[in-house]
């Protein structure tokens, strides 16, 4: 149910022709599954809560550590030792008490991802490892749920999206065909703090576009070099021989 100040809270978005009252109501009725409440998941979740996305399922099995606070802005110093899923949920409810937040505080496997993706509108990958990214890609394909992906390490970031409802859309494995690709993490390599905010905010923006029915990034990868403040746009065609998506419409 909408709170009495619905129009006032979201007035700056409702004024936009692409949103209006109808679009804002659509956001309020939407649901997202955000995997990872770290550097990327923090701005994604905060901005989608602020924008009025009605139902958010957030997943993270880790605890807040002091080293996280350099970039994971959804958590605070007093949250150290708390499970990130609960710390994040508290921040989201404090920001917007009208939204519904569901927490998953354990390590999810493929079956869990499948089960928790069947009743939502959008999956948002805010993880830092390739095995989980490949699993979420497969879940996206199997459930035909759009997927927004972000990555950030050192001074470099990228953001893209995939929409399996569109037969021309590539998938994550079109971008990374080799599942044996080695992972590097922020803990190993480091990351400059605002970079995850830039990439996470881009993920949140594309999430809003998709939820409004106007996604922009399937088939596009934006690459960002924070050290030179340079963006590069790369077109990503669907790979006709992709082991993940090339035969999905024939199954």
């Amino acid at each position: 149910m909408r709170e009495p100040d619905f129009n006032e809270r979201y007035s700056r978005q409702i004024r936009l022709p692409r949103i209006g009252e109808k679009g804002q109501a659509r956001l309020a009725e939407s649901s997202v599954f955000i995997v990872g409440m770290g550097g990327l998941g923090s701005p994604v979740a905060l901005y989608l809560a602020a924008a009025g996305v009605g139902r958010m399922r957030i997943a993270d099995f880790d605890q807040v550590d002091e080293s996280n606070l350099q970039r994971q802005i959804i958590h605070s110093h007093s949250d150290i030792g708390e499970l990130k899923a609960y710390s994040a949920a508290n921040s989201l409810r404090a920001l917007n008490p009208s939204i519904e937040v569901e927490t998953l505080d354990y390590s999810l496997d493929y079956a869990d991802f499948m089960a928790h993706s069947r009743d939502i509108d959008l999956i948002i990958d805010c993880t830092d490892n390739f095995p989980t990214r490949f699993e979420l890609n497969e879940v996206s394909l199997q459930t035909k749920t759009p997927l927004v992906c972000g990555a950030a390490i050192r001074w470099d970031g990228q953001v893209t999206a995939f929409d399996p409802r569109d037969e021309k859309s590539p998938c994550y494995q079109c971008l990374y065909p080799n599942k044996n690709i080695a992972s590097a993490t922020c803990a190993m390599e480091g990351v400059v703090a605002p970079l995850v905010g830039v990439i996470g905010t881009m993920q949140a923006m594309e999430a809003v576009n998709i939820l409004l029915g106007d996604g922009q990034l399937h088939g596009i990868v934006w690459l960002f070099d924070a050290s030179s403040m340079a963006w590069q746009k790369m077109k990503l065609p669907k790979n006709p021989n992709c082991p993940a998506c090339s035969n999905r419409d024939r199954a």
Side-chain angles (χ1 to χ4, degrees):
M1 181 179 296
R2 298 180 185 177
E3 70 273 23
D5 62 344
F6 182 88
N7 284 358
E8 176 59 27
R9 175 182 282 271
Y10 305 114
S11 61
R12 302 307 190 270
Q13 287 185 169
I14 290 173
R15 290 176 183 173
L16 299 173
R18 280 188 59 205
I19 299 182
E21 290 189 7
K22 184 177 180 180
Q24 192 62 53
R26 184 168 182 170
L27 292 178
E29 294 164 0
S30 296
S31 56
V32 297
F33 182 18
I34 307 173
V35 184
M37 280 293 109
L40 297 174
S42 291
V44 168
L46 287 168
Y47 267 112
L48 293 185
V53 172
R55 184 162 67 96
M56 306 177 69
R57 178 173 291 150
I58 60 175
D60 200 307
F61 63 88
D62 204 359
Q63 294 178 319
V64 179
D65 182 82
E66 188 168 11
S67 65
N68 301 147
L69 302 180
Q70 165 251 6
R71 64 202 177 281
Q72 299 181 14
I73 59 172
I74 203 166
H75 313 294
S76 65
H77 191 83
S78 62
D79 295 320
I80 292 175
E82 176 69 272
L83 286 165
K84 288 183 181 179
Y86 296 129
S87 168
N90 289 336
S91 296
L92 297 174
R93 293 179 182 124
L95 176 63
N96 191 344
S98 69
I99 65 171
E100 177 185 342
V101 183
E102 177 186 351
T103 56
L104 303 173
D105 63 356
Y106 54 93
S107 180
L108 278 66
D109 59 19
Y110 177 76
D112 294 318
F113 288 133
M114 284 290 293
H116 290 294
S117 298
R118 294 190 182 279
D119 64 339
I120 50 93
D121 300 308
L122 177 65
I123 303 167
I124 309 178
D125 174 13
C126 299
T127 64
D128 64 355
N129 68 89
F130 282 105
T132 302
R133 291 167 182 163
F134 285 122
E135 286 188 337
L136 291 176
N137 181 62
E138 184 60 29
V139 168
S140 168
L141 293 172
Q142 290 296 324
T143 61
K144 293 197 177 295
T145 306
L147 171 66
V148 177
C149 296
I153 194 165
R154 297 180 291 268
W155 294 83
D156 302 308
Q158 70 177 42
V159 60
T160 186
F162 310 101
D163 191 344
R165 301 170 301 180
D166 181 351
E167 63 180 16
K168 295 181 180 179
S169 174
C171 78
Y172 188 76
Q173 210 165 339
C174 292
L175 181 61
Y176 293 103
N178 182 8
K179 278 191 171 185
N180 295 318
I181 187 171
S183 296
T185 66
C186 294
M188 296 165 54
E189 302 288 337
V191 63
V192 62
L195 173 64
V196 292
V198 172
I199 300 302
T201 302
M202 287 282 285
Q203 286 181 270
M205 187 68 259
E206 178 63 1
V208 169
N209 283 332
I210 291 172
L211 294 174
L212 291 174
D214 194 22
Q216 300 294 315
L217 291 184
H218 57 282
I220 299 293
V221 183
W222 276 106
L223 306 170
F224 181 54
D225 179 350
S227 63
S228 62
M229 295 298 286
W231 286 94
Q232 181 181 358
K233 184 178 182 181
M234 181 180 78
K235 290 187 177 181
L236 177 67
K238 180 176 178 177
N239 179 1
N241 299 312
C242 175
C245 73
S246 60
N247 295 318
R248 73 176 190 262
D249 294 324
R250 305 174 200 167

